[in-house]
Amino acid sequence: MANYVYTLAKRRQTVRRFTSRPVDGNKVITAVKTACQAPSGANAQPWRFVMVTDPTIKRSIRKACEDGERAFYATVSGEWRTWLLARGFNWSKPFLEEAPLLLLVFSQENAPYASQSVWLAIGYLLLAIEERGLGTVTYTPSSTQGALDEIDVPEDWKLEVILPIGFPTEEHTKEPRLSLDEVLYINSWEHGQDVQK
Amino acid sequence: MANYVYTLAKRRQTVRRFTSRPVDGNKVITAVKTACQAPSGANAQPWRFVMVTDPTIKRSIRKACEDGERAFYATVSGEWRTWLLARGFNWSKPFLEEAPLLLLVFSQENAPYASQSVWLAIGYLLLAIEERGLGTVTYTPSSTQGALDEIDVPEDWKLEVILPIGFPTEEHTKEPRLSLDEVLYINSWEHGQDVQK
């Protein structure tokens, strides 16, 4: 128990392919309740969540996102392009339709530290989703043009992420992580000062 | 067990006053290891952590941060000012010296979705810190001018947060949260479409 959060975090891996097995909405609601316990700038709680289960809306979101991705993939360059292509990524985002449920997370643009607060809460969300045995990917659309047409989002709310939620089709491989020596320093940004970790 | 993450998230509250009881650095290292398991844009892991235990460095950080806060409090206005003053907040940040340990979290400015990835990882960190029985506050300095002088931070790394970590002096009150109805919608941003939660 002492390292339960670490165990969950280590076990969790990004899921991009989902089975059609339905998702119990209550599990996602518990994850949202968990996220809502996160701290936020001036306690503004600058987050809102829209759970999309309607297949017609999922299809519209997929189409609009894929239009944006086509434009993005036509222009992305450098290391990021290499990274994406090496993994077989492209404009196609079938998970937006295949996952039984999409959770859209919004931030209120004028709240203090809005984006930071919402992404901190997304960290809570991911661990709660993992704990429920569900998988997801933090999908950040290249463009949200058209994607939100059917959801009636007020003007001052910005889409931060779409989390498609469901059961994975297969075991995925977790991307490797840097070693602790490479990311943690003691008292100064000097490898020479590293203590035994 | 099924709702352990929710229980931790709900129990956690912001701590701004710390006892002098020492903090076992290994507990903080476990929390950092947890954060490092978070997903990140292109798996860039655009985070670095500097653990500060040296009293001289803590004192310098406090002084520089308080200088920045004095300037901030002279200009902040509107709802945020009201919120801050109602809670007795001001430029003084004794927790930067009182907490036995400061954990500084940095993001690599040029990585894709760097800030979002780092704040997601900070969500992991907070839950791991709570699990270890320690307290913290996500302190975002108004200015970092001078605060990093003794740490030799490379140019392309940005300070996102300082987490003073220690044991609370007393029970703190958790800020109230919005109800689920106020933050979660189903299929459309319309209260009329809320399902039973």
Side-chain angles (χ1 to χ4, degrees):
Chain A
M1 272 312 297
N3 284 324
Y4 183 77
V5 175
Y6 175 70
T7 304
L8 270 185
K10 189 163 168 61
R11 187 180 83 190
R12 183 193 175 276
Q13 49 198 30
T14 292
V15 173
R16 292 187 181 83
R17 301 302 306 270
F18 299 90
T19 69
S20 58
R21 181 177 162 195
V23 166
D24 176 359
N26 288 316
K27 291 191 173 180
V28 179
I29 288 172
T30 299
V32 170
K33 283 171 66 180
T34 303
C36 290
Q37 292 295 325
S40 58
N43 194 36
Q45 304 166 68
W47 42 63
R48 294 293 182 274
F49 306 88
V50 180
M51 198 193 280
V52 176
T53 52
D54 181 322
T56 310
I57 302 179
K58 285 199 297 172
R59 181 180 301 253
S60 302
I61 290 173
R62 175 181 176 176
K63 192 190 168 311
C65 289
E66 288 185 338
D67 288 347
E69 297 300 341
R70 277 196 198 86
F72 167 75
Y73 275 86
T75 59
V76 65
S77 62
E79 281 178 33
W80 198 2
R81 180 183 183 81
T82 308
W83 189 90
L84 290 164
L85 298 184
R87 280 156 188 78
F89 292 146
N90 59 40
W91 57 266
S92 175
K93 302 297 167 194
F95 52 67
L96 295 173
E97 244 184 301
E98 287 170 2
L101 189 152
L102 305 179
L103 185 66
L104 281 59
V105 184
F106 296 84
S107 68
Q108 186 163 35
E109 295 188 307
N110 298 323
Y113 296 97
S115 173
Q116 291 91 333
S117 302
V118 171
W119 281 90
L120 191 160
I122 293 168
Y124 279 38
L125 254 181
L126 292 196
L127 291 173
I129 289 169
E130 178 66 25
E131 186 180 36
R132 314 252 89 65
L134 295 164
T136 192
V137 50
T138 51
Y139 172 61
T140 45
S142 297
S143 158
T144 55
Q145 180 83 40
L148 306 176
D149 286 355
E150 302 195 42
I151 297 179
D152 298 324
V153 180
E155 258 192 15
D156 54 336
W157 289 87
K158 178 190 167 203
L159 179 65
E160 294 283 355
V161 77
I162 299 179
L163 300 174
I165 300 176
F167 294 92
T169 52
E170 57 195 21
E171 192 71 16
H172 291 244
T173 309
K174 184 156 179 155
E175 291 278 340
R177 293 297 188 271
L178 297 168
S179 69
L180 201 57
D181 293 14
E182 295 172 287
V183 299
L184 175 63
Y185 311 121
I186 313 294
N187 286 316
S188 178
W189 199 294
E190 295 277 324
H191 282 279
Q193 297 221 10
D194 289 356
V195 291
Q196 189 70 33
K197 293 159 195 161
Chain B
M1 272 312 298
N3 284 325
Y4 183 76
V5 176
Y6 174 70
T7 304
L8 271 185
K10 188 164 169 60
R11 186 181 83 191
R12 183 191 175 277
Q13 50 198 30
T14 292
V15 173
R16 292 188 181 83
R17 301 302 306 269
F18 299 91
T19 69
S20 58
R21 182 178 161 195
V23 167
D24 176 359
N26 288 317
K27 292 191 173 178
V28 178
I29 288 171
T30 300
V32 170
K33 284 171 66 179
T34 304
C36 291
Q37 293 295 326
S40 58
N43 194 36
Q45 303 165 69
W47 43 64
R48 292 295 182 273
F49 306 88
V50 179
M51 199 191 280
V52 176
T53 52
D54 181 322
T56 310
I57 302 178
K58 286 199 296 172
R59 182 179 302 254
S60 301
I61 290 173
R62 175 181 177 177
K63 194 191 167 309
C65 289
E66 289 185 338
D67 288 347
E69 298 299 341
R70 277 197 199 84
F72 166 74
Y73 276 87
T75 59
V76 65
S77 62
E79 280 178 35
W80 198 2
R81 181 183 182 81
T82 308
W83 189 90
L84 291 163
L85 299 184
R87 280 156 188 79
F89 292 146
N90 59 40
W91 57 266
S92 175
K93 302 296 168 194
F95 52 68
L96 295 172
E97 245 185 301
E98 288 170 3
L101 190 151
L102 306 180
L103 185 66
L104 281 58
V105 184
F106 296 85
S107 68
Q108 188 165 35
E109 295 187 306
N110 298 323
Y113 296 97
S115 173
Q116 290 91 332
S117 302
V118 172
W119 281 92
L120 191 159
I122 293 168
Y124 279 39
L125 255 181
L126 292 196
L127 290 173
I129 289 169
E130 178 66 25
E131 185 180 36
R132 314 251 91 63
L134 295 165
T136 192
V137 51
T138 52
Y139 172 60
T140 45
S142 298
S143 158
T144 56
Q145 180 83 39
L148 307 176
D149 286 354
E150 301 194 43
I151 298 179
D152 298 325
V153 180
E155 258 192 14
D156 53 337
W157 290 86
K158 178 191 167 203
L159 179 66
E160 293 283 355
V161 78
I162 299 178
L163 299 175
I165 300 177
F167 294 91
T169 52
E170 57 195 22
E171 193 71 17
H172 291 244
T173 308
K174 184 156 178 154
E175 291 278 342
R177 294 297 189 271
L178 296 168
S179 69
L180 201 57
D181 293 15
E182 294 172 289
V183 299
L184 175 62
Y185 312 120
I186 312 295
N187 287 317
S188 177
W189 199 293
E190 295 277 325
H191 281 279
Q193 297 221 8
D194 289 356
V195 291
Q196 190 69 33
K197 293 161 194 161

